[in-house]
Amino acid sequence: MRVPIVTRLLLASLVSAGIVNGFTRTSASLSPRLTTSKSNLFAKGDEGGLEDSISDFCIGTNNFWRGLVIEPVRTYVETRPAGTNVNEGTNALQILTSPPEVPGIPRPVWLTIAGSVPTLLGWYGYYKFSAEEELFQYELQESGKVSGAGGYGTLFPFVYGVLIGFPLSLLHIPLGETIVQLSGAWILASQLNLYRRGNEMCT
């Protein structure tokens, strides 16, 4: 059973969480304007090219998995302009529970650990969703193209994969273990891609 391996991957991500915290609202070039993909399944850029194909795939993936989330949850985690919920006077608990904002909410490593350890990495899933969705929406508003699948397209394939694959593996159905392994590979690949995109924004 490979679930412990997936858990270790997420723990390793905690150690490196500070990398993506470079994507914050400290840059004067970032504006709070939002552009969501919502009903548009594909990116509206120039046709052709690998960059367009990747963007189309990522936006399509985000919209597909977004459609599988119940409306109250989608409403709560809808990305908002910077300062809607988090400002200089916001306390740690409010930051931990705030919906995503664009530009992104600064989440120090100590806060990420403080939210993740007591919840047995439950909050880290929300942090992962928020960071991915903030960067997804930022890329979308800046260029109309994205290089990641956002919070919905990144986290929920992993969540559904574990929810489906884990019970199947307990029943000794080989497909179950394969699903869990693929879910772990997906979340790891998305984490590496998130670090790459975050580093590009900080350079």
Side-chain angles (χ1 to χ4, degrees):
M1 184 61 217
R2 301 305 179 99
V3 172
I5 294 178
V6 174
T7 303
R8 288 198 294 270
L9 290 174
L10 290 176
L11 283 170
S13 299
L14 275 176
V15 178
S16 305
I19 298 177
V20 296
N21 286 320
F23 170 59
T24 68
R25 62 194 56 163
T26 55
S27 172
S29 64
L30 302 182
S31 68
R33 184 180 73 260
L34 286 181
T35 303
T36 59
S37 57
K38 291 192 176 178
S39 61
N40 297 324
L41 183 61
F42 298 109
K44 294 183 177 180
D46 295 333
E47 295 183 359
L50 180 60
E51 182 179 327
D52 290 337
S53 298
I54 292 174
S55 181
D56 289 347
F57 171 78
C58 290
I59 292 178
T61 301
N62 183 277
N63 280 322
F64 172 80
W65 291 98
R66 187 179 188 274
L68 299 181
V69 178
I70 60 175
E71 182 64 30
V73 174
R74 292 204 308 266
T75 299
Y76 180 79
V77 300
E78 189 72 30
T79 306
R80 295 158 169 78
T84 303
N85 294 92
V86 175
N87 50 54
E88 293 183 359
T90 305
N91 61 43
L93 181 59
Q94 290 172 316
I95 295 176
L96 289 173
T97 58
S98 175
E101 295 186 359
V102 173
I105 299 171
R107 302 175 184 89
V109 175
W110 70 264
L111 185 62
T112 304
I113 296 174
S116 301
V117 174
T119 60
L120 301 179
L121 292 181
W123 181 84
Y124 184 80
Y126 185 64
Y127 162 76
K128 169 70 173 173
F129 171 88
S130 298
E132 290 278 3
E133 195 66 19
E134 286 170 346
L135 187 50
F136 177 87
Q137 294 294 342
Y138 171 72
E139 288 180 329
L140 197 61
Q141 84 170 28
E142 290 297 302
S143 65
K145 299 178 183 180
V146 298
S147 56
Y152 291 103
T154 297
L155 183 65
F156 284 97
F158 170 76
V159 171
Y160 281 106
V162 172
L163 290 177
I164 295 172
F166 182 71
L168 292 178
S169 64
L170 289 180
L171 297 174
H172 304 290
I173 299 176
L175 181 62
E177 186 172 350
T178 300
I179 293 175
V180 173
Q181 291 176 351
L182 289 174
S183 301
W186 177 263
I187 201 73
L188 176 60
S190 71
Q191 192 72 19
L192 294 175
N193 186 42
L194 180 63
Y195 293 159
R196 177 191 64 79
R197 294 151 72 203
N199 283 335
E200 286 179 355
M201 294 187 66
C202 295
T203 56

